[in-house]
Each structure stands twice: as C-alpha cells, then as structure tokens.
Amino acid sequence: MRGNYSFRQLSSTCYRSLQNEPINNKLQNATKTSTPSKKTLTQKRSEPKNKKSAISDSEIVKWNMSITTHMRNGQWESALQVFNSMPRRSSVSYNAMISGYLSNDKFGLARDVFEKMPNRDLVSWNVMLSGYVKNRNLGAARVLFDQMPERDVVSWNAMLSGYAQNGYVDEARKIFDRMPDKNEISWNGLLSTYVQNGRIEEACRLFESKEDWEVVSWNCLMGGYVKRKRLVDARRLFDQMPMRDEISWNTIVTGYAQNGELSEARRLFEESPSRDVFTWTALVSGYVQNGMLDEARRVFNEMPEKNEVSWNAMIAGYVQCKRMDTARDLFEAMPCRNISSWNTMITGYAQSGDISQARNLFDRMSQRDSISWAAIIAGYAQSGHGEEALHLFVKMKRNGERLNRSSFTCSLSACADIAALELGKQLHGRLVKAGLETGCYVGNALLAMYCKCGSIDEAYDIFEEISEKDVVSWNTMIAGYARHGFGKEAMTVFESMKTAGIKPDDVTMVGVLSACSHTGLLDKGTEYFYSMNCDYGITANSKHYTCMIDLLGRAGRLDEAQNLMRNMPFKPDAATWGALLGASRIHGNTELGEKAAKIIFEMEPDNSGMYVLLSNLYAASGRWGDVSRMRLKMRDNGVKKVPGYSWLEVENMVHTFSVGDSFHPEKGRIYAFLEELDFKMKLDGYVSSTKLVLHDVEEEEKEHMLKYHSEKLAVAFGILSIPAGRPIRVMKNLRVCEDCHNAIKHISKIEGRLIILRDSHRFHHFSGGSCSCGDYW
DNA sequence: ATAGGGTTAG
C-alpha cells in the first residue's frame, strides 16, 4: 500500500502545479539576463565626444566587421564588448548587433538594442521585423510593419513570408497584391506560400502564369511535388528546368530516395555534376528508410565529409532496426552531437523499452528542446508509467518550455493510461487556448483520452468535431465503444465509416470483432470474421483470431474455439491462449483452463496475471493444494503478484485504494458506509460469492476480505464525496472480481448512481442494478 | 546589417 501511497502524492503534485505554476518564468528569466547589458549599453552612451572627429569612417567599418564576425561565431558576449568599447557607432553597428542577437536566438537582447537605438534607419526596422517573423510573433510584426516610417521591398517581402510561414495564405496574397513594387523574391514568396501550405494546384497555376522564374522557384515547386510524393511531376519540372543548381539535384535525389526508388536516386546521384553533404545524406537516409542498412552504412563510410545530420541519419537507421548498441557506438563516436542526436537515441531507447537508458541520456543533455521532452514523456507514457510522464510534463511547463502539439498528445496519452480525466480536460482547455486543438492528430489523442477515461459521450463529441477524420479516428471511436460494451454504437460508427468512403483496415476489424465479443454478438462477429477478406481484402491476423476465439469461448462454444485455434495459420500466442483461459474461467472448465495456463507460463514466465487467474480457477473448485503450489511456483520463479488497486479522481486529487486499505484519511467513514451498504445489499438479495479469493481461509474471513476489495472501497468513497447526479468513475489495474462486480450492481441500484468502472480489460457501466457488460467480461 | 529553395530526430 505504501507504494500506492506515493503514487497518490505524486499525482496530486501534478495537479496542483499545473494549476498554480507561473506562466511567465521564461520571460522573467529573459529580462533578468538582459538587464545587465541594458545598463552597460546606457553607461557607454556618455563616451568622450571630442574623439569623434579623430575616428574615420573606415575605422568604424572595421569595428562593425568585428561585431559581425563575433556574432557569426556565436560569441555574442564578445560582440557586445566590441560594441561597448567603440568610440563612435554608426547605425550599421547597431544593426549588426540586432541581427547578430537574432541569429543567436537572443530575441530579447535584440529588441532591447532596437528600442535603445538613437537613429533607426530602414535596415534597423527591417531587421527587427524579420526578428518578430522568425519568432512567429505575427501580431507584433504587423504592428511594427504598420509603424515603420517608410517601407521598401524587403519590408514587404518579410511580412509576406511571415504570413506564409504561419499558414495565412489569404493575408499573404493581400500583402502581395498591395506591394508597390515586386522583385523575384516577392514572386517566389507567393509561390512558396502556396507550396508550404499544401496548395500545390494554385502554386502550379501561378507558376504557369509567368515566364522566367528563377532557379529557386523551380526548386520550390519541385520540392512541393516531392513532399506530396508526386515524383512524376517533380521529374517533369526537373527535366524542363532551364538551368539546375546543386539544390535542384539534391531535391530530385531526395525525392527518389524517400520514395523507395533507390536505384534511380543512386543513378541521379552519380550523374549530378557535384555532390555536397546534402546529396550524400539524402542517399544515406533513403537507404535507411528502405531498411537497406548495410548499403546505407557503405555510403556513409564513403562520404567525403559528414555533418551532424549525416551522423543522425545513420544513427536513426540503427535505432529503427532496434540495434541500440551499434547506434550507441556511433553516437559516442560522432564528433559533433546536436540535440537531434540525443533525441534520436532517447526515442530509440524509449521505444525499445529501455526507459532507464532513455532517462539517463535525457538527464545528461545540456540543452533540451520540445522534442526531447516529448520523446521522454512518450517513453514513460507508452511503457505504462503514466504518472512519471505527467510529472515530466508539469516539469516541462515549469521550465518554460514551449508546448507544442506533440507534447500535448504525449501527455494526453499518459492521461488516458492512468485515466486522469480531470487533468486530461485541463489539457484539452489549454490546447484550445493555445489554438492547437485543430487537426486530426490532436483530435485523435483527445478522442482516445476521453474513451480511455471512461467518458464515452464526450469522446463522441470530439469525434464529431474532427473535421477530417482519418482511419485512426474511426478506429479509435469503434474500439472505444467496444471497450465500453456499446456494441450497437460501435456497429453504427462502423457503418458510417463505410458510408464516408473510408476503407476499414485490420485495426478497424479488431475493433469491430471485439465489439461483437464484448456485446456477445456471436453471429454478427462470425459473419464479419469470415467475410472481411472478401469485402475489404483484410487477411485475418492473430488478433482477429483471438477476438474470434474469445467470442466463441464466451458463448460457451469451447470446442469450436479450440478447433479454430488448431486451424489457425500461425502458432497461437499468449493472448490467444489467454482468451481461452478467460472462457474456461467463465464456464468453470478447470481442465481446459489449466492446459491454457500451463502453455502461457512457458511463453511468459513473468506474467503474474496468469498465475492469479489459474489460482482462482483452482480455488473456485476447492483445489487448495494446487493453490499453494501455484504460490510456491510464483515465489520460485521470482514472479511478484501485482497488487490489486483502484483509484478515482475527486476534485483534482487522485485517491488510491488497495485491499484492506487502512491508510486513507477518510477510512472511518468509508468503512462505516460499507457496513451500511452491506446490510442494504443483503436486503436487496446480494449473496457474497467467495469462490474467487486467492486465499485458503475460513469462509467468514473470506467474506470480510472481499468486502474490502479495492474497487469496493473506491466506489464507497466515490459515493460519499461526489455529488449526486454525477457519475462515479473508478479504475482498477486488474480485472474486476466477480463478487465486486455483483456487489456494485446492487450498489448502483440502492444508491441510484451511475458507476463507471474501468478494469484492465474493459469498461463496466453500472446503473439500476445491471451492468453494460451483461455479466460477460 | 534585412526578404526566397534542399538532408536528421517527434
């Protein structure tokens, strides 16, 4: 219980800090660091003026060049020293400082210089404008643009590019139309607006409306075709181009390399007049993406020069093939690691299940970006460490890290895993505030979160709001309804999916079949199973077979289930045997259950759930000797029984309970209430069924222990602390036991409450004395 | 000193 207790505290920390944490940490820090330089800037204003005439303009030019050089090398402190020690400064000196700060990502410092600058010229305004654009602060950019005393074509082009990069195609077009004079960059700006925002047909029309495009624009349009995998169109442009530069060759090589046409990529690579790091890297990455790792490595070894990106591409190749040791060797060997290199390794470790190595690297990084955070958060979320994932999300916010779609979706999936509905809703709110709730990627994450947190109606609302549903959206909704036991609804969604013209895939059919299985629709499920190959060209995989065996098993057709299993085109895995074991349990077939469990033990000696299932099966038929042998076997094999616990959220706090819990501060009230309930339940006809306890104890003792099962404690606490009329949502890490299931049905009737219980397998909606699973789980 | 195109990680 102590272990769970720490989980409770951890989770409540997450909640509080998400609500109260200051939003402007980063801003405050930024102003803090910039304060001293402000002072030095103003101090130096009182320089001796008499020297002014002694310094020639050509001297000043030398100082200015020194500033630029320092800034280019990233030494902005040295640049500031030069600037401060200048006897006289031209506006070029100021402009060099501003643009230097901007290219070193010191936006605040750049703005300070700009605001302190005595006589701004047009370039100063333009530099600052590009700074706002680069910082994606379009509003401020537009204010500055409107304030400018005069504008040249550079100003207009900067504004145009700002709108383009942020997806404001129509605004960009307006700027283009209003421009007093246009140059080639303006034309290219409009073209790239269309290309960058996926409006390739408009780009194409614009391109055809004018002759004499520069090579940049040819490359831009060709790149657009490559991104949309329209290789034939890209190649047509490439062949038509009046002249080609290195980028043209790189673009077309990349196009073929990324689309699996490696031999054509290779041919053009050999044919190109010159090759730079980009060309080489494109080829390496092409081989990597096509799983041709050895060929990739050969090219990589031949490269005349490599940069970080080349190394990262090669490392990513090994990561994809789960060869983490080789990836690590390269990572250690590379001379110029950047954030991406670290991120690639972290992602690799996280995906291969080695979360501690991932965390190790994450902690060792000197600089992290939003991808590093997303990678580690996703790593924890996907390996079942939802609490730690959310903990890191909060930490990330506190560090002032910019939240993006990816960090949100990872955290939403963590919420889904631990069923933190309230936190998930807060994230939803923040997504809307940040304007990031659009797009089906985020929509799908929200949808999955609401499904897994037991809020199926809100899930459906989200589902309806996703404007461009992809196959994942449909699959998530179908699987969501299936897990909640709403077979009819799942079928309705499946039908509308087909009407909408979305082709069901193998995942869809797993959802559909499990919907049938969770609702007991044997005939419908059988029909789908046998017709899906003919109807949608989907060949049944082991998951489909498992659903089918589950469906037959639940219906009591254990022989047919076994037959199907014998005739499967592949070897049954642990999940398939698990379906058979579950069916044996429901129908009390100890012999078959024993057989299935033994096979599962051989496949997964660490699966404690199976030991418990089998023990319970023995206990149910009074075979106590076998029960104790199981316990010995578990001990000898070093398998720890996962302790059962349940949890629920009340006012942003997660409360956790386990069997016989005596830690909760409200335990007195809870236990008293349970006694009271017990009395009422017995009047309602409840008889406690003790056959599923994993202990050989006296009958009375057994009943006592059952009464204190974690889900009962959690439900009792929920009724006491959640206002009437609102559903009580309880989660349990294991499958709900039969006695608790029975008891909660009575409780829902006696108290007139809707109780939604998520166990490790599915959802149960209890109300008015019955459960949505129809006692089938 | 300011505006436009190509390679990696999610």
Side-chain angles (χ1 to χ4, degrees), chain A residues 550-577:
Chain A
D550 191 63
L551 188 51
L552 288 165
R554 283 166 195 280
R557 308 212 189 171
L558 292 173
D559 289 340
E560 284 173 58
Q562 288 184 83
N563 255 330
L564 185 63
M565 205 155 137
R566 268 192 289 272
N567 294 325
M568 273 167 62
F570 21 72
K571 209 168 167 267
D573 58 14
T576 319
W577 284 107

Side-chain angles (χ1 to χ4, degrees), chain A residues 591-773:
Chain A
E591 203 184 315
L592 184 58
E594 208 173 352
K595 180 181 158 196
K598 274 187 181 150
I599 293 171
I600 298 171
F601 289 152
E602 279 165 26
M603 292 178 176
E604 297 182 347
D606 293 331
N607 189 335
S608 71
M610 287 306 145
Y611 287 86
V612 176
L613 263 180
L614 188 57
S615 302
N616 287 343
L617 205 59
Y618 286 140
S621 42
R623 291 166 60 178
W624 301 113
D626 288 321
V627 173
S628 17
R629 271 198 296 110
M630 286 304 303
R631 202 173 300 131
L632 282 178
K633 196 173 167 189
M634 277 175 81
R635 203 185 58 195
D636 293 346
N637 293 354
V639 181
K640 289 221 171 65
K641 180 177 170 292
V642 178
Y645 59 95
S646 302
W647 67 99
L648 78 165
E649 279 185 324
V650 176
E651 287 171 5
N652 274 337
M653 283 276 290
V654 173
H655 297 259
T656 310
F657 298 89
S658 63
V659 187
D661 198 338
S662 54
F663 284 93
H664 198 274
E666 300 251 34
K667 63 179 183 211
R669 267 179 79 210
I670 296 170
Y671 281 47
F673 183 56
L674 273 169
E675 291 296 322
E676 191 189 311
L677 271 180
D678 199 51
F679 179 73
K680 287 190 196 162
M681 271 154 52
K682 280 182 173 148
L683 282 183
D684 193 48
Y686 162 77
V687 183
S688 75
S689 54
T690 50
K691 61 178 182 180
L692 287 177
V693 195
L694 174 58
H695 302 278
D696 179 12
V697 279
E698 294 295 322
E699 201 65 24
E700 203 180 317
E701 182 77 11
K702 269 188 264 178
E703 194 185 337
H704 181 72
M705 293 189 59
L706 273 177
K707 207 156 41 184
Y708 297 157
H709 255 175
S710 64
E711 52 266 54
K712 269 192 194 168
L713 292 168
V715 166
F717 179 68
I719 294 173
L720 287 174
S721 42
I722 294 170
R726 281 174 52 193
I728 293 151
R729 296 170 204 278
V730 172
M731 325 296 148
K732 179 174 173 150
N733 65 334
L734 308 174
R735 281 200 191 190
V736 58
C737 92
E738 194 175 318
D739 183 70
C740 285
H741 191 268
N742 198 10
I744 298 172
K745 284 198 291 187
H746 286 284
I747 295 175
S748 72
K749 183 179 166 195
I750 295 166
E751 295 293 320
R753 303 290 298 252
L754 171 61
I755 299 164
I756 300 172
L757 172 72
R758 180 181 102 174
D759 71 8
S760 61
H761 200 57
R762 57 165 292 156
F763 281 91
H764 304 262
H765 292 238
F766 298 93
S767 92
S770 62
C771 175
S772 65
C773 74

Side-chain angles (χ1 to χ4, degrees), chain A residues 192-310:
Chain A
S192 82
T193 303
Y194 289 133
V195 169
Q196 279 172 30
N197 292 287
R199 290 158 70 154
I200 195 94
E201 299 311 332
E202 279 156 282
C204 187
R205 250 178 280 142
L206 179 73
F207 194 76
E208 278 163 4
S209 74
K210 175 180 170 296
E211 299 280 315
D212 298 328
W213 287 88
E214 287 189 332
V215 64
V216 187
S217 302
W218 284 90
N219 292 343
C220 174
L221 188 58
M222 181 166 59
Y225 282 131
V226 163
K227 277 205 191 80
R228 315 216 106 202
K229 301 186 183 298
R230 288 170 58 172
L231 273 193
V232 180
D233 292 312
R235 182 55 183 263
R236 184 174 42 81
L237 280 179
F238 181 77
D239 289 338
Q240 283 172 1
M241 289 175 78
M243 58 173 290
R244 302 181 188 118
D245 64 6
E246 225 165 36
I247 293 180
S248 326
W249 285 95
N250 291 345
T251 306
I252 196 73
V253 169
T254 305
Y256 284 117
Q258 285 180 344
N259 287 287
E261 299 193 33
L262 266 302
S263 48
E264 187 61 9
R266 184 75 190 227
R267 217 179 60 72
L268 287 160
F269 173 85
E270 308 283 359
E271 202 187 305
S272 63
S274 65
R275 287 165 278 274
D276 65 2
V277 192
F278 283 87
T279 342
W280 283 94
T281 308
L283 198 62
V284 170
S285 137
Y287 282 124
V288 161
Q289 282 170 27
N290 279 277
M292 300 160 78
L293 207 54
D294 297 335
E295 195 58 39
R297 183 57 187 259
R298 238 171 285 150
V299 177
F300 180 76
N301 288 341
E302 280 172 28
M303 287 177 77
E305 52 155 343
K306 305 177 175 84
N307 64 11
E308 339 54 289
V309 181
S310 338

Side-chain angles (χ1 to χ4, degrees), chain A residues 44 47 63 78-89:
Chain A
K44 293 291 169 179
E47 282 294 323
W63 293 83
S78 319
L80 178 63
Q81 272 178 18
V82 174
F83 181 83
N84 279 337
S85 52
M86 286 173 80
R88 182 165 71 84
R89 300 177 193 95

